[in-house]
Amino acid sequence: MCGIAGIIGNKASQTQLDAMLHAQTHRGPDDTGRYLKDGIALGHNRLAIIDLSSEANQPFFSQDKRYTIVFNGEIYNYIELKEELEPTFSFKTHSDTEVLLAAYQKWGRACLSKLNGMFAFAIWDTKEQHLFAARDRFGVKPFYYTMVNDTFYFASEIKSLFAAGVSKSPSESVWASYFAYGSYGMPNETFWDGIQQLPGGHFLTLHTTLPDIQKWYHFEEEVKKYNTELSFEEVKSQYLKLLDDSIKLRFRADVPIGFNVSGGLDSSALLALVNRLEGGENIEAFTFYTGDDRYDELPWVEGLIAHTKNPLTKVKLKVDDLASLAETMSAQQDEPYGGVPTVAYGKLFKEARSKGVKVLLDGQGMDEQWAGYDYYTKNSNSVIQGVSKSPFRTSVLSEEFFAKAKKPVYPTPFDDRILNLQYRDLFYTKIPRALRFNDRVSMQSSTELREPFLDYRLVEFAFAQPLVYKIHEGIQKYVLRSIVSDYLSDSITYAPKRPLQTPQREWLGEDLQDWVTLHIETLKGHPWFEYEKLKEEWDAYINGDQDSSFHIWQWLNTSLLVS
């Protein structure tokens, strides 16, 4: 897990590259490397996880010196790929970076389909004088880029592009769509004008001045290869084997590994399965809480830990700390982020790192593959769990700004409403948003986050199964619940999904009212807002209209990022 940066073009300079690397040094404090040639500057911030030796530092060069790679992420199946490549290549390290580069040398872009991992990488070909870059199937690892005066810049974080001198100008259509529809942008968009991201499952080639972007992961076609006529017990058996293998692969590391645990089914299932496979009762679990019994999942977590016997570190988020932590998190995220839970995760990862844990696992991805959200069963187009009325307040937007909002239209490649909702959440809404939040949160504390449930084999297999295996007699994620019932108590196995984990609504409207008011006042005179209407909504919120706090958090994001 690292940070990558690069400049391709006549304006490439070490000064710019150093500024980019410095801006994202938290992503990899263990080593900083550079490759500089005329018109080419590649940089790397290393967080050493696999093969801790200096021989595995990056930029990494092929033995014939033709190729140079900068790579962020992990190739979990690198050992198997290495065995396949050893008749052709003589390896000098035990790193997955060297395996990845050799795979590209042997198979070219076709190597991507052989990789099981999370990755964003760029390879410079000195012979052909072109750049090849790619991102993993679901976009776990980030890749941002822009073109300025025929020079191509890329980095793991947007702030690194700003550090290189790229102008910081809000993309008003993306911001307007965020306020009007809750959209965080399409897979290629960011909240900043001129800065794009390479979508998950895509690769990029740069031969001259304009990048050519193509899709390499065709999920819609991949799910067709799975047998959908298996019995329920056969599905359970095959899925459990895939789960076992996914978890085993994600335990490949040369540093300590821990868990990010909540009281929900998914992370509880992960912890139980890990302990079953790895004998991992000594592996430390981390959870956050706020001290508010209405929302805290601590009782469920402690009940789980009483069963698994793992050591548990409880990290408390105090309301008095939220304002400063939220402002720091905003600077880290570079774009609007998901509220108090994200801030709490920030404290959790910081605590893990202080205890020497450099890798954490979490349970992201189950709801999307097994149809776990309430709106899958309620025939709703909502993207927010547990909210009964619209969380958006478009009346506070100026007419000119609101006109720039575009209601997102998502592809519907399947002849089934729920499948299309799952597809939307996997590639356009829930997963891309959560992965971006979580990448920044973990890297802020120089830690790596791994998501075993987002192994592409698991997602494809579960997605392809009949709806009756996903939702059975009103019970969602039915196959998963049936599997883990052998390892967890019924109170966890069949617990309903709890949409709220923190007292964000109460904190913003009560304890932190003065802080929020201060930030809302910074929006006075801002061309995006009708301030009097905005203030009316804030007054209504203070006086009890608190079904959702999303709009309040939106305004805070705006104040912290662009006002």
Side-chain angles (χ1 to χ4, degrees):
M1 187 70 67
C2 308
I4 61 175
I7 311 168
I8 313 295
N10 293 331
K11 299 294 171 61
S13 73
Q14 182 170 345
T15 300
Q16 279 187 314
L17 182 66
D18 285 348
M20 296 170 77
L21 293 171
H22 179 72
Q24 59 183 35
T25 189
H26 49 273
R27 296 189 71 90
D30 296 331
D31 184 72
T32 302
R34 302 164 187 81
Y35 169 79
L36 298 158
K37 292 287 185 183
D38 291 343
I40 308 296
L42 301 178
H44 188 261
N45 308 97
R46 186 181 185 201
L47 180 65
I49 302 292
I50 294 176
D51 188 346
L52 309 185
S53 71
S54 60
E55 285 78 11
N57 288 345
Q58 301 179 44
F60 194 92
F61 307 96
S62 62
Q63 291 188 18
D64 62 5
K65 305 301 180 186
R66 174 176 172 177
Y67 299 101
T68 305
I69 187 172
V70 286
F71 160 48
N72 169 29
E74 305 291 355
I75 308 302
Y76 300 121
N77 64 334
Y78 74 102
I79 293 175
E80 291 77 10
L81 289 173
K82 189 174 185 177
E83 291 174 354
E84 190 174 350
L85 291 161
E86 277 179 328
T88 307
F89 294 89
S90 177
F91 292 93
K92 64 179 183 179
T93 75
H94 299 288
S95 71
D96 56 338
T97 303
E98 187 176 15
V99 173
L100 172 57
L101 186 54
Y104 180 76
Q105 287 179 262
K106 183 173 179 64
W107 297 303
R109 65 185 62 171
C111 77
L112 296 171
S113 63
K114 291 178 169 285
L115 305 178
N116 187 336
M118 53 179 182
F119 54 83
F121 66 84
I123 296 173
W124 177 253
D125 184 337
T126 58
K127 181 180 178 181
E128 298 295 332
Q129 292 288 292
H130 76 77
L131 187 78
F132 178 83
R135 199 169 174 210
D136 62 72
R137 292 169 177 82
F138 298 109
V140 181
K141 293 291 96 190
F143 189 99
Y144 295 101
Y145 69 92
T146 190
M147 294 287 301
V148 180
N149 298 327
D150 294 332
T151 297
F152 180 79
Y153 297 82
F154 71 86
S156 294
E157 295 191 13
I158 294 172
K159 63 175 61 64
S160 296
L161 300 177
F162 294 151
V166 175
S167 64
K168 185 178 182 179
S169 177
S171 172
E172 292 196 337
S173 63
V174 174
W175 277 96
S177 301
Y178 168 62
F179 290 119
Y181 305 109
S183 168
Y184 284 77
M186 300 301 275
N188 64 315
E189 294 179 321
T190 75
F191 281 76
W192 304 102
D193 205 26
I195 296 176
Q196 295 180 284
Q197 58 177 326
L198 182 64
H202 286 65
F203 67 80
L204 174 155
T205 52
L206 184 74
H207 291 277
T208 53
T209 56
L210 292 176
D212 176 42
I213 296 169
Q214 296 183 44
K215 185 176 180 177
W216 69 267
Y217 180 48
H218 299 275
F219 177 82
E220 308 90 322
E221 296 301 316
E222 293 298 320
V223 295
K224 293 178 181 178
K225 68 188 180 187
Y226 292 90
N227 184 351
T228 58
E229 297 181 0
L230 299 173
S231 70
F232 184 75
E233 291 303 318
E234 287 172 327
V235 168
K236 279 179 58 178
S237 175
Q238 290 192 25
Y239 190 71
L240 183 56
K241 287 179 182 177
L242 290 173
L243 271 173
D244 288 350
D245 191 58
S246 175
I247 293 169
K248 286 178 180 177
L249 287 178
R250 282 155 185 81
F251 262 82
R252 289 177 171 173
D254 296 324
V255 297
I257 295 178
F259 301 92
N260 171 8
V261 181
S262 71
L265 171 66
D266 301 346
S267 65
S268 302
L270 177 60
L271 185 54
L273 291 169
V274 166
N275 283 356
R276 165 182 165 271
L277 287 171
E278 302 288 333
E281 61 274 3
N282 293 321
I283 298 171
E284 189 151 9
F286 296 83
T287 194
F288 78 81
Y289 70 108
T290 65
D292 190 319
D293 294 340
R294 294 171 297 177
Y295 300 101
D296 281 344
E297 297 188 323
L298 196 55
W300 287 271
V301 172
E302 290 176 331
L304 171 68
I305 294 300
H307 179 72
T308 65
K309 308 301 183 185
N310 293 82
L312 175 66
T313 293
K314 296 174 280 190
V315 181
K316 185 174 184 179
L317 177 65
K318 300 176 183 177
V319 66
D320 292 343
D321 297 332
L322 182 64
S324 62
L325 291 173
E327 290 169 10
T328 300
M329 183 62 71
S330 182
Q332 176 62 22
Q333 290 279 336
D334 292 323
E335 298 180 282
Y337 66 96
V340 172
T342 307
V343 178
Y345 282 132
K347 283 203 70 174
L348 186 153
F349 281 97
K350 185 177 181 180
E351 179 66 19
R353 178 68 195 220
S354 74
K355 301 189 78 169
V357 176
K358 291 179 75 172
V359 175
L360 284 169
L361 309 183
D362 85 355
Q364 187 72 51
M366 275 298 180
D367 286 309
E368 292 78 13
Q369 59 187 279
W370 285 115
Y373 292 117
D374 57 9
Y375 51 76
Y376 289 136
T377 59
K378 293 180 179 177
N379 197 22
S380 164
N381 288 321
S382 171
V383 294
I384 297 180
Q385 172 90 2
V387 174
S388 60
K389 61 186 280 190
S390 174
F392 314 123
R393 300 294 186 271
T394 57
S395 64
V396 308
L397 304 178
S398 70
E399 188 175 334
E400 181 181 359
F401 180 64
F402 181 50
K404 296 179 180 180
K406 300 174 184 176
K407 186 173 184 178
V409 177
Y410 306 112
T412 53
F414 301 97
D415 295 327
D416 180 272
R417 184 187 70 86
I418 292 181
L419 287 181
N420 284 326
L421 284 177
Q422 290 181 261
Y423 181 78
R424 177 199 71 179
D425 286 351
L426 278 167
F427 293 99
Y428 292 89
T429 56
K430 289 286 190 181
I431 290 298
R433 186 172 71 220
L435 291 177
R436 193 255 289 174
F437 298 165
N438 291 344
D439 172 81
R440 304 308 180 278
V441 167
S442 60
M443 296 311 298
Q444 182 180 30
S445 295
S446 304
T447 53
E448 174 173 295
L449 179 62
R450 297 180 174 182
E451 282 112 351
F453 295 159
L454 277 179
D455 187 307
Y456 71 95
R457 300 168 301 168
L458 286 172
V459 179
E460 291 171 3
F461 180 81
F463 190 96
Q465 298 312 310
L467 181 60
V468 67
Y469 293 170
K470 300 174 186 178
I471 305 172
H472 180 70
E473 295 181 353
I475 299 174
Q476 294 176 272
K477 295 188 286 190
Y478 187 61
V479 164
L480 178 66
R481 294 183 194 274
S482 182
I483 288 172
V484 301
S485 63
D486 292 337
Y487 313 110
L488 297 173
S489 66
D490 285 351
S491 63
I492 294 176
T493 299
Y494 293 102
K497 188 171 183 64
R498 294 180 291 277
L500 298 174
Q501 296 173 288
T502 70
Q504 174 172 302
R505 296 181 300 189
E506 293 82 0
W507 282 5
L508 295 182
E510 297 167 15
D511 307 72
L512 296 171
Q513 184 182 134
D514 290 345
W515 176 67
V516 177
T517 299
L518 211 67
H519 279 286
I520 286 178
E521 286 175 351
T522 69
L523 302 178
K524 189 172 185 177
H526 197 291
W528 293 355
F529 299 101
E530 298 285 351
Y531 180 73
E532 290 305 317
K533 293 181 180 178
L534 190 152
K535 192 172 181 305
E536 284 177 19
E537 286 287 355
W538 172 229
D539 289 340
Y541 186 86
I542 292 171
N543 291 317
D545 184 7
Q546 296 180 2
D547 181 65
S548 168
S549 59
F550 182 65
H551 58 296
I552 308 299
W553 195 260
Q554 286 181 316
W555 303 337
L556 282 169
N557 272 307
T558 308
S559 175
L560 291 168
L561 286 165
V562 300
S563 67

